[in-house]
Amino acid sequence: MANPGGGAVCNGNLHNHEKQSNGSQSGNCRRNGMTKEAQQNGKPHFYKPIVETFEEAPLYVMVFTYLGYALGTLFGHFRDFLRKWGIEKCNAAVEREEQKDFVPLYLDFENFFKRNIYMRIRDNWNRPICSAPGPRFDVMERVSDDYNWTFRFTGRIIKDVINMGSYNFLGSAGRYDESMRTVKDVLEAYGTGVASTRQEMGTLDKHKELEDLVAKFLNVEAAMVFGMGFATNSMNIPALVGKGCLILSDELNHTSLVLGARLSGATIRIFKHNNIENLEKLLREAVIYGQPRTHRAWKKILILVEGIYSMEGSIVHLPQIVALKNKYKAYLYIDEAHSIGAVGATGRGVVEFFGMDPRDVDVLMGTFTKSFGSSGGYIAGRKDLVDYLRVNSHSSVYATSMSPPISEQIIRSIKVLMGMDGTTQGLQRVQQLAKNTRYFRQRLREMGFIVYGNEESPVVPLLLYMPGKVAAFARHLLQRKIGVVVVGFPATPLAEARARFCVSAAHTREDLDTVLEALDELGDLLQLKYSRHRKSPRPELYNETSCELDD
Amino acid sequence: MRKEEKEELIEEWQPEPLVPPISKDHPALNYNIVSGPPSHNIVVNGKECINFASFNFLGLLDNPRLKAAALASLKKYGVGTCGPRGFYGTFDVHLDLEDRLAKFMKTEEAIIYSYGFATIASAIPAYSKRGDIVFVDKAACFAIQKGLQASRSDIKLFKHNDMADLERLLKEQEIEDQKNPRKARVTRRFIVAEGLYMNTGAICPLPELVKLKYKYKARIFLEESLSFGVLGEHGRGVTEHYGINIDDIDLISANMENSLASVGGFCCGRSFVIDHQRLSGQGYCFSASLPPLLAAAAIEALNIMEENPGIFAVLKEKCEQIHKALQGISGLKVVGKSFSPAFHLQLEKSTGSRERDVKLLQEIVSQCMNRSIALTQARYLEKEEKCLPPPSIRVVVTVEQTEEELEKAASTIKEVAQAILL
């Protein structure tokens, strides 16, 4: 796969000189019945058609889901009653005798859901593993003797479980091998800790190297790295906006973005998920009517969106949002935690995915946990933005900087991704991920499951709805040696519990087929195939070539 | 408004630039760049110096055992964990580390975070919500301030280390309670203090705090980043220093970035308190877990702390030594307890403007750097701090510094200060 799709790879940037397969140099090209405009000088200006679905479940499913929760609540009240009167033994930890007359630390009803519904199925989360989180890992077996109140480890290890839960998009995570030699060297030379902040004595030459490389990778002027992805949002948004500014935040934004917005002190308004009309309406109102009560103009307007939303699998409608932002002179902040490395022809995120210029986005933020097999976050953009953050970010003044071997791992991964190590391995992984994603999603749709999100997003949510099925799904799959992540309330709406698969470039076709087979059987057993758009159930008719990348 | 008027408004509106311009020679823009490991002999901006600026109290940053443990972990697990704790991000190393920390501190349970700042900033809002009351010291560090801001509770500041002021506030609150007993019954109260204060080097009067706790029924959250691995016979912190039963403190939070030479933080206490953070601590649930090699390094550091409890006495001696040696410099005063390994040197008399003070201190720091003593100014975000401390030079003592080096540092600072301030 040295020359995929007719493009040439130079320095990790994909230059598509001739996109047309019929050889004409300009004008439109027709392929598969779709007309696309030709590229001029390597700058694509067509807008990718966005294919995403959020199918609604049939009514009986919603009825049964709510019924299930109602039953659980009823039993919960009954059991609370029994525990209060001492008929049933209470296994939860209790307050100290000496502090019994203090105001209670937790309100009973705040913990109701945790005590009575979460506790029954909590063996599906926090599963400890004891190997690297590669495409297959080892899960430690644990059992509970008292209905999930406490766990004990049997000592046995479930080996070679297929990992569909960890964020390992490009397969960068894994056991040590010779390619990680530089990480070992840096660890031996520098040690693990830094023990100082960026502004005091904590800026190492490794950090400078990393920041220059990140800026080069993203094709922007400058970048700054931080030790934790979550903290990158919660500590830098308050540095950018403050009182008198307006934040327009997507409905489904991650907790770190919400926390950063709240800590900044700015006014926050929420727009419906990916809904451009709603966003435009809010923008118009903001510019025309100004601040509430005083009607003074807003100082700045910042739009907070994510590249890929982790619970929905949807991709942000970037071109339309950039058009809006330019029209109303707002600023755009994108959190590419799940999309950097995972989408785009060379893995440079949603900006490349839509063929746009990184200068269209004011603040590019991302994390290194998912595609680079490390930890930490970055913010990139124009030089004056990054300089401002170097002086005013909470993290550069008060928080310890990134550990040296962690930085080296990111440097190594980016070099591989950009092709700077002399191989095309990085590009191959990006393309393998895209292939795996399309294959997996297409097969799931064919089987009749309801799958949310954009066709090209490697985060695949499969809807389960009912709380009982959530538990059964995860447990059955673990028995078949497949590790999946299931999510319910409060991370998702109450009635939309789901299983979330993370496709990885390291998964082979056989791995995916094993998983799909198990899902097929389990889907019939648990009656999960709710979709009303069933395609042909015969996999032999599946067309291999339609999985190739669109150019 | 008519449509044309609206369009006009949209045309005319000009927002502020996203970031205001920063002048090229802003003091905080030009970082000190360290080439190589930030250990005892540090190379700053190309010059070899002795490190008096990194919080490497027990000298473990360069320890070969830690590096070996981290290497073993790297070989087995790779670098990243690729997920939060709830979704296959829990490794046996994390469970091990939590176990060891709980045993070391003699509490029931411990929970680890992947970032030191996020530890206390996530712990406080997990318990204290809107409507609850928190009594916090004026000199509390920025992470605590952010945690309090995120919690949206009522904040009541008391003067630094002034127990009388705290008691006054608690009494006032009691009177308020009697006016509205129903509300008082559901309003939680917390006292947040630090073991050794980062901003002033003082120690909190823990026995009095515990007395106030039981008298006024408020829970205590203690932040022990600087005192963990420093105070106490075995390094267990300020509770061991004073001989207080650890169960009297509801939550102890510390970061592993100082004494344990790793990255991240932990909270420890009774299971009743700590377990709640596993579902409500934002920095725990919504963030990737600590890379296993850093957890393995922390475990090895704990091993070293348990094997030689003598280092804490050595560190204390060195602190006292340099504290005494730095007394009597004209123009600079030492701020901090004699056994605090991280203390401040402030100007005895301010020039009147903070900017000039900062410039003066920066001169002293640069001169010391030229003479191979690496120091740094304590950095703050001037517009964001609630009670901004005066500008100062931060001096950090570690067990690796020999007596000669301590003497040399003290005399260098004396000479430079005399030259510049007089």
Side-chain angles (χ1 to χ4, degrees):
Chain A
M1 277 285 258
N3 206 11
V9 182
C10 313
N11 295 336
N13 291 325
L14 193 67
H15 295 293
N16 283 340
H17 298 299
E18 300 121 32
K19 297 267 295 179
Q20 300 82 339
S21 49
N22 57 11
S24 62
Q25 283 304 314
S26 64
N28 297 343
C29 102
R30 276 183 75 81
R31 210 166 127 184
N32 294 338
M34 271 196 332
T35 310
K36 289 183 193 165
E37 292 166 41
Q39 277 185 295
Q40 311 276 357
N41 298 335
K43 192 172 187 305
H45 56 273
F46 61 85
Y47 287 156
K48 245 181 155 67
I50 297 176
V51 182
E52 39 181 43
T53 61
F54 298 96
E55 190 183 332
E56 264 188 36
L59 185 60
Y60 76 89
V61 171
M62 307 305 276
V63 169
F64 275 115
T65 308
Y66 284 116
L67 214 62
Y69 278 112
L71 213 58
T73 314
L74 221 64
F75 265 96
H77 282 299
F78 181 55
R79 299 284 288 275
D80 274 346
F81 174 76
L82 291 181
R83 276 189 278 259
K84 187 163 162 206
W85 289 98
I87 305 173
E88 182 181 328
K89 187 168 72 122
C90 185
N91 287 326
V94 287
E95 179 67 278
R96 284 173 81 202
E97 272 310 315
E98 296 92 330
Q99 292 179 215
K100 278 253 155 52
D101 53 347
F102 281 42
V103 176
L105 193 53
Y106 316 117
L107 288 176
D108 269 343
F109 79 85
E110 266 172 13
N111 278 359
F112 182 85
F113 188 84
K114 175 184 166 190
R115 236 184 359 255
N116 296 309
I117 300 190
Y118 172 73
M119 197 56 77
R120 289 167 178 267
I121 52 176
R122 96 177 165 124
D123 57 311
N124 298 313
W125 290 282
N126 293 304
R127 287 184 179 154
I129 71 177
C130 52
S131 74
R136 283 177 185 260
F137 57 5
D138 301 333
V139 180
M140 291 167 74
E141 198 187 18
R142 56 177 189 170
V143 293
S144 175
D145 303 314
D146 49 6
Y147 302 105
N148 286 350
W149 282 97
T150 58
F151 292 106
R152 78 185 154 82
F153 295 105
T154 60
R156 274 194 295 273
I157 298 178
I158 311 176
K159 281 194 173 297
D160 281 337
V161 178
I162 300 181
N163 183 359
M164 297 300 291
S166 298
Y167 291 116
N168 185 15
F169 295 136
L170 296 180
S172 317
R175 290 181 68 97
Y176 179 82
D177 59 22
E178 265 320 292
S179 63
M180 288 167 76
R181 164 156 224 101
T182 48
V183 182
K184 171 169 175 285
D185 293 337
V186 166
L187 174 59
E188 280 168 354
Y190 286 77
T192 51
V194 183
S196 190
T197 65
R198 286 302 288 268
Q199 284 198 5
E200 293 187 11
M201 201 55 80
T203 303
L204 306 175
D205 45 2
K206 276 279 156 223
H207 296 145
K208 187 151 183 353
E209 196 188 325
L210 175 58
E211 288 176 355
D212 289 337
L213 195 59
V214 170
K216 194 156 153 219
F217 175 67
L218 294 171
N219 212 357
V220 288
E221 288 177 23
M224 180 168 182
V225 298
F226 304 93
M228 182 196 197
F230 184 98
T232 309
N233 279 333
S234 65
M235 299 213 229
N236 290 307
I237 299 181
L240 291 173
V241 289
K243 267 200 158 70
C245 303
L246 176 67
I247 292 183
L248 294 172
S249 150
D250 189 295
E251 210 176 11
L252 297 179
N253 269 340
H254 190 255
T255 313
S256 55
L257 289 165
V258 173
L259 183 62
R262 273 183 35 211
L263 286 177
S264 67
T267 313
I268 308 176
R269 296 207 177 131
I270 314 252
F271 64 91
K272 298 207 185 72
H273 179 56
N274 254 346
N275 188 327
I276 303 299
E277 289 84 30
N278 196 218
L279 178 58
E280 175 151 26
K281 174 162 160 288
L282 286 177
L283 274 169
R284 287 183 75 85
E285 259 179 41
V287 175
I288 294 174
Y289 295 108
Q291 302 191 26
R293 288 195 311 270
T294 57
H295 291 295
R296 266 186 236 140
W298 292 104
K299 286 198 208 155
K300 297 177 228 190
I301 301 185
L302 185 67
I303 304 177
L304 289 183
V305 288
E306 288 189 42
I308 293 187
Y309 291 88
S310 57
M311 286 302 154
E312 302 285 303
S314 50
I315 299 187
V316 65
H317 297 169
L318 193 58
Q320 292 94 321
I321 294 191
V322 169
L324 271 185
K325 141 186 132 72
N326 285 331
K327 179 173 174 196
Y328 293 97
K329 304 192 208 82
Y331 300 111
L332 184 57
Y333 182 114
I334 287 197
D335 176 347
E336 291 213 69
H338 296 89
S339 54
I340 188 74
V343 291
T346 58
R348 283 167 166 79
V350 278
V351 173
E352 192 186 35
F353 182 72
F354 286 107
M356 306 190 69
D357 190 351
R359 281 176 301 212
D360 288 330
V361 181
D362 300 286
V363 189
L364 284 159
M365 177 267 170
T367 64
F368 298 117
T369 328
K370 284 131 190 140
S371 306
F372 301 97
S374 185
S375 79
Y378 67 85
I379 288 201
R382 291 176 34 182
K383 188 157 188 323
D384 52 2
L385 167 74
V386 175
D387 281 344
Y388 179 81
L389 286 179
R390 287 194 204 283
V391 175
N392 289 335
S393 161
H394 302 180
S395 167
S396 62
V397 186
Y398 295 107
T400 316
S401 42
M402 201 187 252
S403 163
I406 309 283
S407 321
E408 182 56 32
Q409 164 72 353
I410 305 171
I411 293 176
R412 188 192 75 89
S413 300
I414 295 187
K415 283 191 175 153
V416 168
L417 196 49
M418 287 177 76
M420 281 165 82
D421 60 336
T423 68
T424 52
Q425 208 191 57
L427 201 55
Q428 279 173 20
R429 287 192 189 173
V430 175
Q431 286 165 349
Q432 182 66 29
L433 174 65
K435 261 171 59 175
N436 283 354
T437 306
R438 290 182 180 212
Y439 175 64
F440 196 68
R441 277 180 170 267
Q442 197 146 359
R443 287 289 305 276
L444 282 180
R445 285 248 161 73
E446 281 167 13
M447 287 185 203
F449 291 104
I450 294 186
V451 174
Y452 272 5
N454 191 308
E455 234 180 31
E456 319 228 11
S457 131
V459 174
V460 186
L462 188 152
L463 273 284
L464 301 171
Y465 298 105
M466 302 183 200
K469 294 193 186 184
V470 163
F473 190 80
R475 287 172 188 159
H476 272 273
L477 280 178
L478 188 62
Q479 271 173 8
R480 291 166 187 257
K481 309 225 303 184
I482 299 173
V484 295
V485 157
V486 289
V487 221
F489 183 79
T492 63
L494 185 65
E496 291 179 17
R498 59 200 69 175
R500 191 185 65 181
F501 298 98
C502 291
V503 183
S504 159
H507 285 137
T508 59
R509 190 51 75 88
E510 291 77 38
D511 286 337
L512 292 180
D513 282 334
T514 318
V515 175
L516 286 164
E517 228 181 86
L519 286 178
D520 205 4
E521 286 175 30
L522 210 54
D524 289 325
L525 174 68
L526 295 177
Q527 303 268 317
L528 291 171
K529 299 186 178 177
Y530 299 121
S531 177
R532 284 170 280 202
H533 310 303
R534 276 217 192 187
K535 296 211 193 112
S536 158
R538 291 173 57 193
E540 306 92 65
L541 297 180
Y542 169 69
N543 186 357
E544 181 71 34
T545 60
S546 68
C547 204
E548 294 300 313
L549 278 177
D550 257 344
D551 272 336
Chain B
M1 266 189 263
R2 293 196 317 270
K3 193 156 196 298
E4 303 83 49
E5 287 175 340
K6 289 189 184 175
E7 295 301 325
E8 242 183 69
L9 280 171
I10 294 178
E11 276 292 314
E12 287 174 354
W13 182 61
Q14 274 301 338
E16 277 179 15
L18 180 59
V19 290
I22 299 276
S23 78
K24 271 207 179 16
D25 37 50
H26 193 288
L29 189 55
N30 306 308
Y31 292 161
N32 294 322
I33 302 213
V34 176
S35 345
S39 51
H40 179 60
N41 293 314
I42 191 175
V43 179
V44 186
N45 297 333
K47 191 154 172 30
E48 263 200 49
C49 304
I50 305 177
N51 192 351
F52 277 85
S54 302
F55 291 108
N56 183 13
F57 301 139
L58 302 179
L60 292 174
L61 274 184
D62 225 2
N63 191 301
R65 275 174 64 177
L66 250 72
K67 292 184 185 175
L71 194 57
S73 175
L74 172 67
K75 292 213 155 115
K76 183 170 177 201
Y77 298 106
V79 179
T81 55
C82 299
R85 289 290 292 259
F87 301 154
Y88 301 108
T90 305
F91 286 42
D92 46 357
V93 208
H94 297 137
L95 299 175
D96 243 346
L97 178 58
E98 287 182 354
D99 220 16
R100 289 295 303 278
L101 282 167
K103 282 208 181 67
F104 180 77
M105 293 293 285
K106 301 209 174 128
T107 59
E108 278 177 18
E109 203 174 323
I111 180 174
I112 49 181
Y113 284 81
S114 52
Y115 205 46
F117 188 102
T119 311
I120 190 69
S122 306
I124 296 180
Y127 302 101
S128 180
K129 314 274 183 200
R130 202 194 283 269
D132 294 331
I133 305 177
V134 183
F135 300 93
V136 64
D137 193 303
K138 273 203 170 124
C141 69
F142 196 71
I144 297 182
Q145 292 175 28
K146 285 295 133 185
L148 292 172
Q149 191 184 355
S151 71
R152 299 198 259 215
S153 320
D154 269 324
I155 316 290
K156 299 209 188 314
L157 297 161
F158 62 90
K159 292 205 197 82
H160 179 49
N161 263 351
D162 189 344
M163 291 297 107
D165 201 32
L166 174 57
E167 183 144 20
R168 174 187 66 89
L169 286 172
L170 286 164
K171 275 209 175 77
E172 277 175 19
Q173 185 55 39
E174 220 182 9
I175 300 177
E176 281 289 323
D177 287 344
Q178 278 158 4
K179 290 190 198 147
N180 194 342
R182 272 187 81 195
K183 183 167 168 222
R185 247 187 308 219
V186 290
T187 313
R188 296 173 277 239
R189 296 122 222 277
F190 301 96
I191 301 175
V192 178
E194 288 184 48
L196 273 176
Y197 285 89
M198 170 90 110
N199 292 344
T200 61
I203 190 172
C204 79
L206 200 56
E208 282 94 34
L209 274 176
V210 174
K211 276 203 208 92
L212 287 174
K213 165 188 170 163
Y214 286 111
K215 188 165 168 199
Y216 294 95
K217 315 228 181 300
R219 295 169 202 270
I220 299 186
F221 286 174
L222 204 55
E223 219 283 321
E224 290 222 62
S225 294
L226 290 186
S227 48
F228 177 77
V230 169
L231 293 180
E233 207 187 305
H234 297 100
R236 295 199 177 97
V238 75
T239 48
E240 199 181 28
H241 179 86
Y242 281 116
I244 293 181
N245 178 7
I246 197 142
D247 280 339
D248 277 335
I249 312 295
D250 293 89
L251 180 93
I252 295 185
S253 142
N255 72 23
M256 306 196 281
E257 293 159 359
N258 302 335
S259 309
L260 288 181
S262 180
V263 172
F266 69 93
C267 290
C268 62
R270 300 184 62 242
S271 291
F272 176 70
V273 181
I274 299 295
D275 205 50
H276 181 70
Q277 280 180 51
R278 295 199 194 272
L279 280 182
S280 325
Q282 288 191 337
Y284 180 83
C285 302
F286 295 106
S287 171
S289 47
L290 186 66
L293 62 97
L294 297 170
I299 296 180
E300 193 60 30
L302 269 180
N303 287 341
I304 294 179
M305 274 169 71
E306 284 178 350
E307 285 165 20
N308 8 351
I311 40 174
F312 307 115
V314 172
L315 180 62
K316 193 164 168 183
E317 248 178 66
K318 296 199 185 211
C319 295
E320 310 243 346
Q321 184 190 344
I322 194 169
H323 214 93
K324 216 159 59 178
L326 284 173
Q327 299 287 353
I329 303 186
S330 50
L332 286 180
K333 60 179 178 189
V334 178
V335 174
K337 273 271 193 230
S338 60
F339 49 73
S340 162
F343 56 89
H344 295 257
L345 286 170
Q346 288 176 10
L347 289 171
E348 241 166 32
K349 222 174 55 164
S350 156
T351 59
S353 100
R354 195 186 169 92
E355 233 184 280
R356 258 178 295 158
D357 286 347
V358 167
K359 270 212 174 84
L360 217 52
L361 290 169
Q362 190 57 38
E363 257 306 301
I364 301 181
V365 166
S366 321
Q367 288 283 347
C368 288
M369 242 8 143
N370 285 341
R371 302 185 194 201
S372 303
I373 302 286
L375 289 172
T376 175
Q377 273 198 63
R379 300 277 184 194
Y380 303 104
L381 273 178
E382 290 162 13
K383 300 199 197 81
E384 306 277 334
E385 285 263 5
K386 275 222 179 87
C387 307
L388 186 59
S392 61
I393 299 178
R394 202 195 289 283
V395 183
V396 179
V397 184
T398 75
V399 280
E400 286 190 322
Q401 292 154 356
T402 62
E403 285 186 20
E404 295 86 39
E405 285 167 347
L406 288 168
E407 287 298 326
K408 177 169 176 231
S411 53
T412 312
I413 298 176
K414 265 199 176 104
E415 280 169 34
V416 170
Q418 277 192 338
I420 294 185
L421 293 174
L422 288 178

